Amino acid sequence: MRAVLISTYELGRQPFGLASPAAWLRQRGHQVTCADLSRQPLPSGAVRDADLVAFYLPMHTATRLAMPVIDKARELNPRAVLAGYGLYAPMNEEHLRAHGIQFILGGEFEQALANLADGRPSPDSLDRLRFVTPDRAGLPPLPSYAALRDGGETKAVGYTEASRGCKHLCRHCPIVPVYNGVFRVVQREVVLADIRQQVAAGARHITFGDPDFFNGPAHAMALVEALDREHPALTYDVTIKVEHLLQHRSLLPVLRGTGCRLVTSAVESLDDRVLDLLDKGHTRQDFFEAVRLTREEGLTLSPTFIPFTPWTTWEGYRDLLRTLARLELVEQVSPIQLAIRLLIPAGSRLLELKEVREQIGPFDPEALSYRWAHADPALDRLAIALLSRIRRAEREGASRSQIFGAIWKLAHQDGAPPPDFHLAARASVPYLTEPWYC
């Protein structure tokens, strides 16, 4: 069978979600073309000749971008079998089928995709898989993707996954409707083999895309210790929940000692009521403790936020800005994180909350989310203005501190000056050059 696997966007990373199933299909003798449309044009000829065209849908942005491409694929090849796979496929099943997608695969999708290519479709499953080393042949080279800026150096970044799913049930998280608390690991030898081939292709830093690297701390520690033995000069970054940073604080020196340079953590809010509504599992004070712990260990914490929710207040937003300044985190927070608005996709656990159901409008199939408006229209206008200002400033090459100053000004129309705060030298704060996280 001739198969085309398509990714539209994966945060500036070379897509694991193409390379992994490509290996499964090629092992079974299928001819596979991988297309990352964030870096290359749609391979129209391959689509015309394909028996199977499968779209990787790991996130909201990728799914929205995929909709017109699905329509184009149907136009180019009406006889091809169309499939959607990844977290956002089952969440948007109705709308994907309206665009012609015939098979919906979420969660552990490799086996199901391989079965589909073999002509014997099987139900979607979260069964444990015996993974194979991803096959990255045909994907754009690593230097064409996001890089790590670290101490004045620019490093090519590889990307892999050591685990999938999550043990936690945060209400706003898109993982929950698919995995519902299930957590799966990718075998250590497979992860190391994938990293090994990316190092050979020029990677000097690895991003682990696990939803939470400490869901399985023993698996994670064995992996990074083996990685450090084999590639002592290689650095890496991970994503870890605030509560796990506190719970497994004894492991932070191991992260630092094995080359971890950056820890992303989905803080979401500094308002304890909002954190409770989101079922995040941590408090405002826990975040302060996580900042202290990571700073003491020499790890750069990169917090992410959802500052605009139906429960956001002017004082709450201004408190967020003041706190980031006071904690000297301005250079560690991507500016776009200060303009993100709560997304309520189909199947979200947020819909369990009566106050959410009472505030939202109907599902918008174009936006792939429920529409909601803040009780104070001025806060909605602020979110829109911030997004526009941040995008423009980033295009102009403004620094994070300069953009923070612009954000402060928009949020303090009374002219209140920002507090005095010390900014770490930009070159001393490692960061990935892809600014989006959604």
Side-chain angles (χ1 to χ4, degrees):
M1 174 178 277
R2 290 167 295 190
V4 178
L5 306 180
I6 295 174
S7 171
T8 55
Y9 179 65
E10 197 177 2
L11 296 168
R13 304 159 173 166
Q14 191 185 67
F16 181 92
L18 297 189
S20 182
W24 285 65
L25 269 61
R26 286 169 178 153
Q27 276 195 355
R28 296 182 179 215
H30 301 295
Q31 179 182 323
V32 181
T33 298
C34 292
D36 179 1
L37 304 191
S38 73
R39 295 296 186 275
Q40 57 193 155
L42 179 71
S44 298
V47 172
R48 285 192 189 95
D49 294 338
D51 304 297
L52 168 67
V53 181
F55 295 84
Y56 180 46
L57 308 173
M59 62 189 71
H60 180 257
T61 299
T63 309
R64 290 192 65 185
L65 291 172
M67 292 301 189
V69 186
I70 295 170
D71 294 341
K72 181 65 175 177
R74 287 178 61 202
E75 177 187 328
L76 289 170
N77 186 349
R79 67 172 182 80
V81 172
L82 301 185
Y85 66 100
L87 287 177
Y88 269 76
M91 294 172 66
N92 294 285
E93 179 172 358
E94 177 184 348
H95 310 287
L96 290 166
R97 291 196 185 281
H99 282 260
I101 294 291
Q102 298 152 276
F103 292 92
I104 302 292
L105 310 172
E108 307 299 276
F109 48 74
E110 283 89 349
Q111 182 72 64
L113 264 179
N115 291 344
L116 181 58
D118 287 346
R120 43 186 184 85
S122 58
D124 193 12
S125 171
L126 293 180
D127 290 347
R128 288 180 173 85
L129 300 180
R130 172 56 62 177
F131 287 88
V132 298
T133 303
D135 187 340
R136 298 177 178 275
L139 287 169
L142 294 180
S144 65
Y145 290 93
L148 179 80
R149 301 275 168 79
D150 188 4
E153 288 187 275
T154 298
K155 297 181 178 181
V157 175
Y159 174 80
T160 195
E161 296 176 3
S163 65
R164 287 181 179 160
C166 187
K167 295 178 178 179
H168 300 270
L169 300 172
C170 303
R171 281 198 177 94
H172 62 300
C173 180
I175 298 168
V176 174
V178 176
Y179 280 88
N180 196 30
V182 172
F183 161 68
R184 295 285 180 252
V185 302
V186 181
Q187 290 77 28
R188 189 192 320 165
E189 63 272 17
V190 173
V191 182
L192 291 171
D194 188 27
I195 293 172
R196 196 174 297 125
Q197 67 179 343
Q198 292 184 79
V199 169
R204 298 173 59 205
H205 178 90
I206 296 294
T207 289
F208 286 100
D210 310 42
D212 191 308
F213 201 60
F214 278 178
N215 264 321
H219 172 63
M221 291 300 96
L223 176 58
V224 296
E225 288 170 343
L227 179 65
D228 185 54
R229 288 193 295 270
E230 185 171 345
H231 306 285
L234 193 69
T235 57
Y236 65 89
D237 68 272
V238 295
T239 297
I240 303 174
K241 282 174 66 70
V242 169
E243 66 178 289
H244 282 171
L245 290 171
L246 273 56
Q247 181 181 355
H248 302 295
R249 64 185 69 198
S250 64
L251 300 181
L252 300 186
V254 181
L255 289 181
R256 185 68 182 95
T258 53
C260 183
R261 296 293 290 128
L262 187 65
V263 176
T264 298
S265 192
V267 177
E268 315 303 32
S269 177
L270 299 185
D271 183 323
D272 280 332
R273 177 171 181 264
V274 175
L275 290 170
D276 184 58
L277 288 164
L278 298 180
D279 201 6
K280 277 300 298 177
H282 71 260
T283 66
R284 174 187 177 95
Q285 197 59 43
D286 290 337
F287 167 63
F288 295 156
E289 178 69 359
V291 172
R292 184 187 70 80
L293 289 171
T294 51
R295 190 163 282 165
E296 285 181 356
E297 292 300 338
L299 292 166
T300 296
L301 183 68
S302 179
T304 64
F305 296 97
I306 307 174
F308 290 96
T309 73
W311 313 287
T312 298
T313 64
W314 280 95
E315 175 52 30
Y317 187 76
R318 290 165 178 163
D319 172 71
L320 171 62
L321 300 183
R322 287 195 302 271
T323 303
L324 293 179
R326 177 172 60 83
L327 295 178
E328 301 178 4
L329 289 171
V330 169
E331 291 286 357
Q332 292 171 223
V333 177
S334 176
I336 197 64
Q337 294 300 321
L338 301 177
I340 289 177
R341 205 165 177 274
L342 179 66
L343 184 71
I344 307 178
S348 172
R349 278 196 67 218
L350 286 166
L351 300 171
E352 297 172 0
L353 300 177
K354 183 173 182 288
E355 58 187 288
V356 169
R357 296 195 303 271
E358 290 175 344
Q359 291 185 60
I360 62 174
F363 189 85
D364 182 340
E366 184 175 341
L368 294 180
S369 63
Y370 288 92
R371 295 289 190 183
W372 62 269
H374 198 281
D376 181 354
L379 274 168
D380 282 338
R381 291 195 293 271
L382 174 63
I384 293 169
L386 288 171
L387 186 61
S388 175
R389 183 68 184 86
I390 291 167
R391 284 173 169 167
R392 185 169 75 253
E394 288 180 336
R395 286 196 302 269
E396 294 169 353
S399 68
R400 286 184 173 180
S401 58
Q402 289 170 330
I403 299 174
F404 184 83
I407 292 170
W408 181 280
K409 185 175 181 180
L410 284 169
H412 294 79
Q413 295 181 5
D414 58 359
D420 292 332
F421 59 91
H422 168 72
L423 282 177
R426 188 70 191 99
S428 70
V429 179
Y431 68 99
L432 294 162
T433 57
E434 171 60 51
W436 295 91
Y437 195 78
C438 62

